[in-house]
Amino acid sequence: MFSTSTPLPPSISSSTRNPRRRQRNHSDENGVSLPRAKRQRSALSSDTFVKPGAEDEPVADRAGLETPANGSVRRGRSAAKQADVIEMPVRGAKKATTAAVERGSKTDGSIVLTKNNQYAVTKLPALPDRIRNNHGERAHGSIFPEASYALALSATHALIWPYATSVSSPETFSFSLPHPSRRREDPLPLGSLVTASASDAEPGLVIVMPLSGKVTYWESITSAAALDLVRQQRLGVDGSVGSMMSGEVVIHVENAEPAGFILSFSSGRIALLAVRDGQGRPSVTSQFLKGSAITGGGGGFFGGLKNVFGAGTWRRDVAAARAGPSKRSERVVGVATAMGTLQIWDVHRGGHHALQTDVDAREDMTAAIKASNPELRGRPEGDFELIDFAFLPPTSPANEISTGEEPPSHALMALMAFKGTDGWNYVLLEMTLSRDSIAVGLVHPIRCYTTPPPQASEKRPRVYVPRPFHTAFVVFDRAVVIASVVRTPDSPDQQLLLDSHDLPEPFEDVVDFREGLDVTIVGCAVEEGREAEAEEAKASRRRSRDPGCVLLVRGGGVVRITAHSPPDDPREVEAATVQSKIEQAIQYGVESQNLLNFAGRSETRFPLEEVEAAALKISRAIVDSNSKAITIVTPSMEYQLKQRSAALMQLAAYLHQTFPPLSRLTRWRLMWDAERLAAARAIWKLYDTRLRETGDRKKYALLVQLVDMMSEDINYQAREDLGELDRVRHWFVRNVARIEYLVFWAYNSVAEIQRHERQTMASLAGLISEANDLSLGALETAFRFRHDNMQLYGLQEERAMKGLLVAGYDGLPEFWTSTRMIIDTTKALVDLSREMAITYWTKDKGDDVPDPRVIRKIGTENVRQVEVCCQVFQERFRWCLAQDDDALKEEGRQVRLIHLGIRGTQIGKLARLGLTDQAVELAEKYHDMPTLVQLLADEITAVAERAKRPELGDDEAAELEDRIASLEKRVDRNFGRFGDDWAKALFTAQLQKGKLASMMQQGEERPDFLTRFLRSNPAYAKLSWMNDVLAEQNYKEAGRALLGFARKESDLWSRRVELSIGKLARLAASAQDGEDKGRRLGWVEAELELVNIQQRLYEHISPAVYGAIDDAAAVDLAMAEFGKRGVQGKAALKNILEQGLTELFARNSLGAQRLVDVLTLMDQRFDAENPEDLAGQEFHLALQALRLSRNENKADAELGERMIWRRCMIRDDWTAINDTQLKDDRAVERAAGGTALFATLKAGFKSGEWPRRASEAPLTGRAETAKEPFRPLRPSEVLGAGCTPQELGTRFPEDLREQVAHDLREEDARLQQFIEAGRLEDWYLGIVEAAKKSIAEDVAEEEEKAKKMKEVEESMATKVGAGTVVARKGKGVDAEGDVFMS
């Protein structure tokens, strides 16, 4: 029932009143019981209970005797047997850990469940063992702070014990009730302690049976406990509450001494129970309060009949009956109904009672509530229910409210409730009740609790206001609301605060129990503050200085809530902040045995921004040891760091379980704080271990010197005047938040020491070893912690590997593990350590040679250093690249390049330390395939070389062979593990080393990988197409590879071959697939035609440069032969021609544009001996090249065409041709027929590129379709072509456009001259007709030749036929079989 989870010392049995009592042995167990001494005080322990109904089972006393229920005494039974006779078992909780006791224990034995600036909640240690160890039976109880006793009642038994003592198993009075309930479901007995009489120091006890109304009163609890021992002696006084109606039940007993006790009935009636008569002698009498609309008729049989058969005036809606101020033998009693009717009664010890006040306060109370909250103005009065009330102390401000009436008046605190939209609302009202009126003062709405009130009378909420008047306690069945009811005194300062809205809200908070625990508050009372009880001589009892509320919790023990005095300045009142809630949770709520709920309630939700700010503030306070929960000075630094780490973990767990998901940034910041502490713990362990092993702080000098080197800006300096003498410990207490500087200085301190104190190599190696410990201890631990705790901090969705974020760096600040100073010093320390290890790896003798053990440590640690270096570099460049700042993006690109540049070196050089296997694992981990290939290849080569040594033994040779086989298997296994990445690195390395055969051999074993590798890069097309044909037999891919490569091929011969073979492969693929794909090879035909034109151009020019010693000389000779007239005086065009000739002689593919330039700019040269002579065909070939180029840009194509025709027209002197004086027609025709324009037009007509008949498309003008883009152009149509730089934008760079345009304008000027002076526009039409005529004559001549040839063939055929006939007749056949004519 009231079990506590805290392990307590063994029971301390109180001494009995008769210490001389002789002990019985077990043989006398069934003997006759012996009488006890008179007035012997019961020394029964908490184990005295017997089971309900077990009349004959014994009840053990503290002396070890057993007393049966009939009063006889028997010898003690075993402890195991006693456990079976427990009468009132209660819930037993799990034992608390030692940490819980240490966390909350106080000097009086109580355990602090929670504590803040406003209140403290403690669990008191005193609890009977029988209650602590058992659970299951229904029970309830009450607290009596005046005597510091607690009472627990079950259906058949009662326990009484001093709850305020520091003894865990206090002296307990246990007894069976004289009138137990008959049925298990009957209401539990009600009881109350009675003020001790003058003849006894212990209080009395009164028990009321709810159903029967039977009352038993014992003047002293000693006699009550003795009842089971001496049943014959009736020390108690029995009685009854009088006439009870059918179904009426006593539901509450209120102590109203000295007048007696107030009984509340389920019917709504109220009775006064007296346990002493007028002379103070024990006597049980009762009397119903009469004369009111609430209580109705009196007692007695006739009164009962009147109420049964008549229209009784009693009601069933009585909410509470509370005792008020007392004076001598009388007491003020208040009665309230749920509908708001209040009565004040004066009751006297002799049973006299008088109604003093009867007021219907509903209207006034609801009006005050509505005035405080305008949203409630429309609510009907029937929605508001009065739950409970309490009399206020005489010094409360409510007693100062003036009602305009004469005394007596009473100050009350009422608890009202009404149902709201989100639950029930509760309101506290301060008011003063006079004879027939009420004045409502302040209204205190309760916002932190909205759970509906239970309907059971024993669970209804109760309100308590202890002295001094500053805090009200509202006790529910599983929660207690603590509300400040301090009224700010009227003053100018208060008015200013009200005007400026700076007056804080009154403090309120709720203390409730953890979900899932079967606990219920079954009894409660308030303890007045020490100031209020100064006049009461209670020095013998332990009291709290501040007022409080003591709870009897079924399943939890006795809990005290103490309210601290508020500050004098109302502005200093602290609200129940989220920071305070979190601090309490991580300090007190981490233990599962704590009864209280720290998960928060729905009524007290805080904005997420406040939660995040509070969480970060608390986290940093823990890191800096500024939290109240952290002990600054501890004998063990490790314990202090562990305590802080645990607090951060608890903080993370609490935030994750209690609040909505925090922002991603906040979660990362919280985890970074925890990472720092974890890193600090790792470093401290190394430092502490070294100190323990060496016993000399100076031998671990680096950390000490490092702490001294850090400036005050990054180091919270220790103050020796405050006793902070150990600077290293002080750093771990106060400076963990700056641990990145410790990592930074790990390398810098070595450099500084070496620079200023020239160290020996041995001492330098020691410093490097220590620096590695610091760097690795911090960074490795940080990444490991991050990996292990992603889920705890709600970051499980992050894409991370081994604590390293793969993506998602946007929105996050700089990571402390990868600041720029961290990556720089980490790299430097890796290099320094490696070089030191390599230098002395095989040296163990000599002057100033470091300890080999230190060198081995540095070398083997270099593997971990390289891995950490990779992590911090990757984290740095990934973070930089994710930022919006261009400078950071650029830094990220640079850091990435640096990382990729040094990673292979760092991993590869591990092999020089004999750490090849570790290096291979690192290369595999970071997917560094080139380094992995190099490592495996070098290792295979090295092992193979060692295996060739003749001095090797058989075993060693076999071991090396196994090693080679293992490495080769690893190479092969990597194809399946890393796929194409591994294949690419391996095949690329083999190509670079010229191991083509090895690559092809690997390809035979892994054909798919080789095929994908060769196809992945167009540069491998020459190998890819062979693999496609030979291995894959895939002609389509072979053609695709060759044709794709041919597009970019610069060598003319290679281009021709690739295009040709590619075309054949595509045709073979078409035949293989049964599809006609020849139509898709038009561009290949065009490219081959361009190659043919360039080849003809080369063969046309090459005779002129015969004998040139090199290509440069050939260009000079060609320019001298072909660059005299056309480009004379045109520097830009001359340069273009020279560049074209340079590429031509280099056997590079010119491309259509460059080919057109060379053909149209070079001078015409006729060579009769050269069968490939192009004289007169240059411009026609240029037009063909332009057509074959398949230029998608129509404007560029038109511009190129116009420029070709212009150069064609200005190649000859039309002014001279136009001068036909003294020339016959033959001479004029010969002159016109020798022009480039005539030759070009004739070639075009002859090839059919443009029609020759008038019925076909016109000979001049631009074509309208894209299929036939070219037509002969008139001189006027080509004027102005390319004369502006803008037209040349796609062909020439910006710095050459103006120069080229200038030369083209000169061409244009020459053409204009020929049009004007040479009538070129007119000549053009005549040249067109002459060209067509020449074509016709050529055609006629060819037809005539063909006719004559046919005649000759026919004649020959006739002659041959006649000879054959003669031969047949005369057998004219010679020896060789030839026919001859006779």
Side-chain angles (χ1 to χ4, degrees):
M1 179 177 66
F2 314 113
S3 62
T4 175
S5 60
T6 307
L8 298 171
S11 301
I12 303 176
S13 301
S14 61
S15 61
T16 64
R17 297 286 181 99
N18 187 9
R20 295 182 181 180
R21 184 176 60 186
R22 183 168 62 88
Q23 300 290 330
R24 298 278 185 176
N25 55 35
H26 291 283
S27 62
D28 299 331
E29 183 174 354
N30 297 322
V32 178
S33 60
L34 298 178
R36 288 174 177 255
K38 185 178 182 179
R39 295 286 296 174
Q40 179 180 3
R41 179 176 178 179
S42 173
L44 301 178
S45 70
S46 59
D47 300 329
T48 308
F49 286 132
V50 297
K51 292 182 179 179
E55 296 293 338
D56 295 330
E57 292 191 5
V59 179
D61 62 11
R62 290 189 182 275
L65 297 178
E66 296 181 352
T67 307
N70 59 11
S72 62
V73 179
R74 296 193 297 179
R75 297 298 179 184
R77 301 170 62 189
S78 65
K81 186 65 177 175
Q82 292 179 22
D84 295 334
V85 297
I86 294 174
E87 283 205 337
M88 196 171 66
V90 293
R91 179 183 182 273
K94 296 180 181 179
K95 293 184 178 181
T97 61
T98 304
V101 177
E102 292 177 352
R103 180 182 298 275
S105 296
K106 298 176 65 178
T107 57
D108 61 356
S110 62
I111 298 175
V112 179
L113 300 181
T114 189
K115 183 180 181 181
N116 55 33
N117 293 335
Q118 284 72 35
Y119 63 87
V121 182
T122 57
K123 184 159 66 172
L124 303 184
L127 194 69
D129 292 339
R130 187 64 62 90
I131 296 177
R132 177 182 296 114
N133 298 330
N134 298 277
H135 62 88
E137 186 168 351
R138 191 165 58 100
H140 67 174
S142 54
I143 300 291
F144 301 93
E146 294 81 2
S148 294
Y149 274 106
L151 168 64
L153 292 166
S154 69
T156 58
H157 292 78
L159 280 180
I160 302 172
W161 74 95
Y163 70 85
T165 181
S166 60
V167 180
S168 60
S169 296
E171 179 183 20
T172 304
F173 301 94
S174 173
F175 55 92
S176 297
L177 301 181
H179 307 289
S181 302
R182 296 180 180 179
R183 295 179 302 176
R184 188 175 187 84
E185 63 272 14
D186 288 345
L188 293 173
L190 302 174
S192 174
L193 292 185
V194 184
T195 304
S197 63
S199 61
D200 201 318
E202 302 296 346
L205 174 64
V206 61
I207 299 294
V208 179
M209 305 307 293
L211 290 177
S212 64
K214 293 181 179 180
V215 179
T216 303
Y217 164 63
W218 292 273
E219 195 172 8
S220 171
I221 57 175
T222 304
S223 61
L227 178 62
D228 287 334
L229 302 177
V230 189
R231 184 176 294 274
Q232 294 83 358
Q233 299 182 14
R234 285 290 182 172
L235 300 180
V237 180
D238 291 334
S240 175
V241 297
S243 60
M244 294 178 61
M245 297 184 298
S246 176
E248 191 174 33
V249 179
V250 182
I251 61 175
H252 180 65
V253 175
E254 177 78 8
N255 191 319
E257 294 187 282
F261 299 87
I262 300 298
L263 305 182
S264 301
F265 292 81
S266 59
S267 63
R269 295 198 296 171
I270 305 295
L272 173 63
L273 174 67
V275 295
R276 290 188 178 93
D277 59 15
Q279 287 73 36
R281 293 173 298 187
S283 175
V284 177
T285 59
S286 64
Q287 186 176 11
F288 287 96
L289 301 186
K290 298 176 293 182
S292 73
I294 296 178
T295 58
F301 176 75
F302 296 102
L305 288 178
K306 178 182 178 181
N307 288 321
V308 171
F309 299 107
T313 57
W314 53 270
R315 299 182 186 175
R316 295 179 179 271
D317 63 348
V318 173
R322 303 293 292 268
S326 63
K327 182 174 67 172
R328 294 186 180 179
S329 62
E330 62 183 62
R331 190 75 178 261
V332 174
V333 174
V335 180
T337 68
M339 303 309 292
T341 300
L342 296 172
Q343 290 185 346
I344 302 297
W345 292 79
D346 284 333
V347 295
H348 299 262
R349 179 182 297 177
H352 303 291
H353 56 274
L355 180 61
Q356 183 188 108
T357 302
D358 188 351
V359 176
D360 185 357
R362 173 193 287 187
E363 182 177 353
D364 295 287
M365 291 189 293
T366 55
I369 295 174
K370 294 178 180 180
S372 66
N373 187 355
E375 296 180 0
L376 302 175
R377 290 177 180 173
R379 297 288 292 269
E381 292 182 356
D383 290 353
F384 298 85
E385 179 182 357
L386 192 149
I387 300 296
D388 191 26
F389 74 96
F391 286 92
L392 295 182
T395 58
S396 66
N399 279 302
E400 301 173 3
I401 300 176
S402 175
T403 62
E405 300 289 341
E406 294 296 329
S409 62
H410 300 280
L412 305 177
M413 177 71 75
L415 175 65
M416 297 285 289
F418 59 93
K419 192 173 183 180
T421 56
D422 298 327
W424 281 75
N425 295 336
Y426 299 92
V427 181
L428 292 174
L429 296 95
E430 297 179 33
M431 55 188 178
T432 300
L433 185 65
S434 62
R435 186 173 300 277
D436 56 1
S437 63
I438 183 172
V440 179
L442 294 183
V443 178
H444 302 267
I446 295 175
R447 298 182 176 88
C448 61
Y449 190 86
T450 59
T451 302
Q455 296 302 315
S457 59
E458 66 272 14
K459 295 183 179 181
R460 286 180 67 82
R462 301 295 298 270
V463 60
Y464 298 93
V465 186
R467 293 178 293 178
F469 179 83
H470 59 68
T471 303
F473 298 93
V474 183
V475 182
F476 296 86
D477 59 333
R478 285 181 54 87
V480 178
V481 172
I482 306 168
S484 173
V485 292
V486 176
R487 180 181 298 176
T488 306
D490 294 332
S491 65
D493 292 340
Q494 181 199 15
Q495 189 61 42
L496 289 175
L497 291 175
L498 287 173
D499 295 340
S500 61
H501 302 286
D502 289 337
L503 192 65
E505 291 289 333
F507 173 82
E508 69 173 47
D509 199 2
V510 59
V511 176
D512 60 342
F513 295 107
R514 183 174 295 179
E515 291 292 334
L517 295 181
D518 184 18
V519 296
T520 306
I521 299 174
V522 296
C524 57
V526 293
E527 292 180 331
E528 309 288 355
R530 184 165 296 178
E531 295 178 359
E533 63 183 38
E535 299 178 358
E536 305 174 15
K538 299 292 183 181
S540 62
R541 303 298 182 187
R542 302 178 66 87
R543 289 293 184 88
S544 172
R545 173 179 301 175
D546 294 319
C549 180
V550 181
L551 310 174
L552 192 58
V553 182
R554 184 178 63 200
V558 181
V559 177
R560 172 186 283 151
I561 303 176
T562 303
H564 304 316
S565 299
D568 297 333
D569 188 347
R571 287 172 294 184
E572 297 179 3
V573 175
E574 296 182 7
T577 62
V578 64
Q579 180 175 341
S580 175
K581 292 286 187 182
I582 298 175
E583 288 175 340
Q584 293 176 69
I586 63 175
Q587 184 173 0
Y588 302 104
V590 295
E591 299 296 338
S592 60
Q593 292 78 11
N594 195 313
L595 301 175
L596 303 186
N597 170 34
F598 293 93
R601 296 181 57 88
S602 59
E603 302 92 342
T604 55
R605 295 302 181 190
F606 298 93
L608 194 60
E609 295 77 8
E610 292 184 17
V611 175
E612 292 180 348
L616 292 173
K617 186 176 180 180
I618 294 171
S619 178
R620 183 47 57 94
I622 294 172
V623 173
D624 294 339
S625 299
N626 290 327
S627 172
K628 296 178 182 178
I630 302 302
T631 305
I632 296 178
V633 180
T634 59
S636 171
M637 190 70 241
E638 164 62 18
Y639 172 79
Q640 204 264 0
L641 289 168
K642 183 179 179 180
Q643 183 188 30
R644 289 152 67 189
S645 296
L648 288 183
M649 300 290 279
Q650 294 154 10
L651 171 63
Y654 177 73
L655 293 172
H656 183 66
Q657 296 168 3
T658 306
F659 299 101
L662 305 183
S663 67
R664 179 170 178 256
L665 175 58
T666 300
R667 284 176 280 157
W668 272 102
R669 288 187 183 277
L670 291 173
M671 187 164 67
W672 287 337
D673 283 345
E675 289 173 10
R676 289 180 167 96
L677 262 178
R681 285 188 66 191
I683 295 174
W684 174 261
K685 286 181 180 179
L686 294 169
Y687 174 71
D688 189 56
T689 301
R690 182 66 65 88
L691 286 181
R692 189 181 302 113
E693 292 174 351
T694 62
D696 187 358
R697 174 189 179 120
K698 295 182 179 179
K699 291 185 178 180
Y700 198 82
L702 183 64
L703 183 58
V704 179
Q705 297 183 59
L706 186 153
V707 171
D708 291 338
M709 288 179 184
M710 286 190 287
S711 65
E712 296 182 5
D713 295 337
I714 58 175
N715 187 10
Y716 183 86
Q717 299 293 322
R719 293 181 56 183
E720 295 186 1
D721 58 322
L722 298 179
E724 299 170 347
L725 305 180
D726 191 335
R727 295 188 298 276
V728 175
R729 287 179 180 268
H730 181 78
W731 192 95
F732 282 94
V733 171
R734 295 295 190 187
N735 292 283
V736 172
R738 304 171 182 85
I739 197 170
E740 56 265 36
Y741 292 98
L742 190 70
V743 179
F744 169 72
W745 277 95
Y747 169 78
N748 280 9
S749 59
V750 175
E752 288 290 324
I753 294 172
Q754 178 68 5
R755 183 162 50 249
H756 294 93
E757 308 173 11
R758 196 64 183 174
Q759 301 287 312
T760 63
M761 297 309 295
S763 61
L764 180 60
L767 291 175
I768 293 174
S769 175
E770 295 177 22
N772 289 346
D773 291 342
L774 295 177
S775 177
L776 290 174
L779 296 175
E780 279 186 334
T781 304
F783 284 112
R784 189 183 311 114
F785 180 92
R786 193 180 299 167
H787 170 73
D788 295 341
N789 295 279
M790 280 286 192
Q791 185 169 3
L792 175 63
Y793 286 89
L795 298 169
Q796 64 273 12
E797 301 299 327
E798 299 281 357
R799 293 179 56 195
M801 294 182 61
K802 300 298 183 181
L804 180 65
L805 204 58
V806 176
Y809 286 86
D810 50 303
L812 295 178
E814 186 179 43
F815 283 59
W816 74 271
T817 49
S818 57
T819 61
R820 190 56 193 255
M821 63 180 183
I822 290 287
I823 66 170
D824 290 341
T825 55
T826 301
K827 173 186 175 299
L829 188 57
V830 171
D831 296 340
L832 179 62
S833 302
R834 182 186 64 247
E835 296 307 317
M836 172 65 75
I838 290 175
T839 303
Y840 294 98
W841 192 252
T842 58
K843 295 180 182 179
D844 54 3
K845 297 180 180 179
D847 296 336
D848 196 16
V849 174
D851 187 341
R853 293 173 299 178
V854 176
I855 294 300
R856 292 289 172 183
K857 174 181 177 296
I858 294 174
T860 54
E861 286 177 344
N862 200 243
V863 178
R864 295 160 56 198
Q865 285 182 288
V866 171
E867 183 172 5
V868 167
C869 187
C870 291
Q871 287 177 305
V872 298
F873 265 85
Q874 286 182 346
E875 187 175 78
R876 181 65 185 181
F877 74 69
R878 288 172 181 172
W879 178 80
C880 289
L881 292 174
Q883 307 309 303
D884 296 330
D885 191 324
D886 292 338
L888 286 176
K889 285 184 179 293
E890 180 59 28
E891 179 186 341
R893 287 188 284 268
Q894 295 299 323
V895 171
R896 185 175 185 275
L897 291 175
I898 294 173
H899 168 62
L900 295 178
I902 67 174
R903 183 179 66 187
T905 301
Q906 290 178 336
I907 297 176
K909 285 191 175 183
L910 292 173
R912 298 181 60 182
L913 299 173
L915 303 172
T916 301
D917 291 341
Q918 292 88 335
V920 167
E921 290 178 359
L922 279 180
E924 290 176 346
K925 181 175 182 179
Y926 289 97
H927 219 77
D928 191 342
M929 296 297 103
T931 302
L932 181 59
V933 169
Q934 188 66 41
L935 285 169
L936 292 176
D938 292 347
E939 183 68 7
I940 291 173
T941 302
V943 175
E945 290 295 328
R946 290 200 301 270
K948 294 179 181 179
R949 296 176 183 176
E951 66 273 13
L952 290 178
D954 293 340
D955 293 342
E956 190 174 358
E959 184 178 347
L960 293 176
E961 291 297 331
D962 291 342
R963 171 71 171 168
I964 294 175
S966 174
L967 292 172
E968 289 177 345
K969 287 182 180 178
R970 191 163 195 163
V971 170
D972 187 67
R973 188 169 61 248
N974 284 344
F975 280 101
R977 185 176 179 185
F978 301 108
D980 290 331
D981 292 340
W982 167 254
K984 179 181 179 181
L986 178 62
F987 294 148
T988 300
Q990 291 172 339
L991 283 176
Q992 291 174 347
K993 294 180 180 180
K995 297 181 178 180
L996 186 60
S998 298
M999 185 189 76
M1000 300 307 293
Q1001 182 181 359
Q1002 290 279 357
E1004 292 178 1
E1005 299 174 359
R1006 300 281 184 172
D1008 294 341
F1009 288 101
L1010 180 61
T1011 299
R1012 285 195 296 271
F1013 167 72
L1014 293 175
R1015 292 177 182 177
S1016 66
N1017 191 340
Y1020 304 147
K1022 294 181 179 180
L1023 295 174
S1024 179
W1025 80 270
M1026 289 188 290
N1027 178 72
D1028 289 331
V1029 171
L1030 299 176
E1032 301 290 334
Q1033 295 184 351
N1034 189 332
Y1035 300 109
K1036 179 180 179 180
E1037 285 297 326
R1040 183 195 62 81
L1042 278 174
L1043 294 179
F1045 189 77
R1047 290 177 182 271
K1048 301 178 182 180
E1049 180 64 72
S1050 60
D1051 183 78
L1052 185 65
W1053 182 87
S1054 298
R1055 183 180 179 86
R1056 179 194 293 249
V1057 172
E1058 290 158 6
L1059 288 170
S1060 300
I1061 298 177
K1063 178 182 177 181
L1064 289 175
R1066 292 294 295 272
L1067 291 174
S1070 299
Q1072 193 178 48
D1073 297 341
E1075 298 180 8
D1076 183 13
K1077 298 183 180 179
R1079 56 187 178 84
R1080 301 182 183 180
L1081 299 176
W1083 72 271
V1084 179
E1085 300 287 355
E1087 293 293 329
L1088 285 172
E1089 186 63 27
L1090 283 174
V1091 171
N1092 291 334
I1093 292 174
Q1094 181 175 342
Q1095 183 63 26
R1096 291 181 63 189
L1097 175 62
Y1098 176 80
E1099 292 173 354
H1100 172 70
I1101 298 177
S1102 57
V1105 299
Y1106 180 78
I1109 59 176
D1110 55 20
D1111 290 346
V1115 172
D1116 292 339
L1117 292 175
M1119 286 297 295
E1121 185 69 25
F1122 296 94
K1124 295 179 180 179
R1125 297 171 50 235
V1127 293
Q1128 188 68 29
K1130 303 179 182 67
L1133 296 181
K1134 183 178 181 181
N1135 185 49
I1136 292 174
L1137 176 60
E1138 187 174 357
Q1139 290 178 0
L1141 291 174
T1142 301
E1143 293 186 18
L1144 181 67
F1145 288 114
R1147 305 301 287 156
N1148 293 333
S1149 178
L1150 295 182
Q1153 293 286 358
R1154 185 60 61 99
L1155 189 59
V1156 166
D1157 287 337
V1158 175
L1159 287 169
T1160 57
L1161 291 177
M1162 71 178 188
D1163 297 339
Q1164 183 177 357
R1165 178 179 180 273
F1166 178 74
D1167 185 359
E1169 297 180 359
N1170 185 3
E1172 299 297 332
D1173 185 69
L1174 296 180
Q1177 303 179 49
E1178 296 92 336
F1179 295 100
H1180 181 249
L1181 291 174
L1183 288 171
Q1184 284 187 327
L1186 188 61
R1187 175 178 56 82
L1188 294 170
S1189 67
R1190 304 167 65 89
N1191 195 330
E1192 298 294 337
N1193 192 320
K1194 185 177 180 180
D1196 286 348
E1198 291 180 355
L1199 178 63
E1201 182 184 6
R1202 293 171 64 198
M1203 291 172 62
I1204 292 173
W1205 282 109
R1206 183 174 60 194
R1207 289 174 182 171
C1208 176
M1209 294 174 182
I1210 64 174
R1211 174 61 58 91
D1212 301 291
D1213 187 356
W1214 288 98
T1215 305
I1217 295 173
N1218 185 56
D1219 186 4
T1220 58
Q1221 298 181 76
L1222 301 177
K1223 294 179 182 178
D1224 57 22
D1225 288 345
R1226 186 182 294 269
V1228 174
E1229 288 179 355
R1230 189 167 45 251
T1235 61
L1237 179 60
F1238 177 85
T1240 302
L1241 288 169
K1242 183 178 179 180
F1245 288 128
K1246 185 176 180 181
S1247 63
E1249 294 179 22
W1250 38 75
R1252 289 176 286 172
R1253 296 179 178 84
S1255 61
E1256 298 177 354
L1259 296 180
T1260 61
R1262 293 292 305 153
E1264 297 298 330
T1265 64
K1267 294 182 179 179
E1268 297 182 3
F1270 303 133
R1271 291 289 188 272
L1273 300 181
R1274 300 168 63 92
S1276 58
E1277 291 179 307
V1278 300
L1279 281 174
C1283 294
T1284 61
Q1286 290 76 14
E1287 294 179 87
L1288 308 175
T1290 59
R1291 276 219 54 196
F1292 301 100
E1294 186 175 359
D1295 56 340
L1296 294 179
R1297 292 172 194 166
E1298 179 56 39
Q1299 301 176 30
V1300 175
H1302 176 271
D1303 291 351
L1304 294 179
R1305 285 194 292 270
E1306 290 189 7
E1307 288 184 351
D1308 209 56
R1310 183 175 176 81
L1311 177 61
Q1312 184 68 35
Q1313 179 184 358
F1314 289 155
I1315 292 174
E1316 295 176 356
R1319 297 189 302 168
L1320 179 57
E1321 188 74 22
D1322 298 329
W1323 275 99
Y1324 172 78
L1325 296 176
I1327 297 298
V1328 168
E1329 294 300 326
K1332 291 195 288 185
K1333 179 182 177 183
S1334 178
I1335 290 294
E1337 292 175 350
D1338 292 344
V1339 170
E1341 184 178 351
E1342 290 177 0
E1343 291 176 351
E1344 182 65 25
K1345 290 181 179 180
K1347 182 178 179 181
K1348 291 181 179 180
M1349 182 62 67
K1350 185 176 182 180
E1351 292 177 352
V1352 171
E1353 291 176 352
E1354 291 176 351
S1355 175
M1356 292 292 295
T1358 301
K1359 293 179 180 181
V1360 171
T1364 302
V1365 173
V1366 173
R1368 286 176 180 174
K1369 290 181 179 181
K1371 300 185 183 293
V1373 181
D1374 60 10
E1376 287 79 17
D1378 294 329
V1379 178
F1380 65 92
M1381 295 181 68
S1382 58

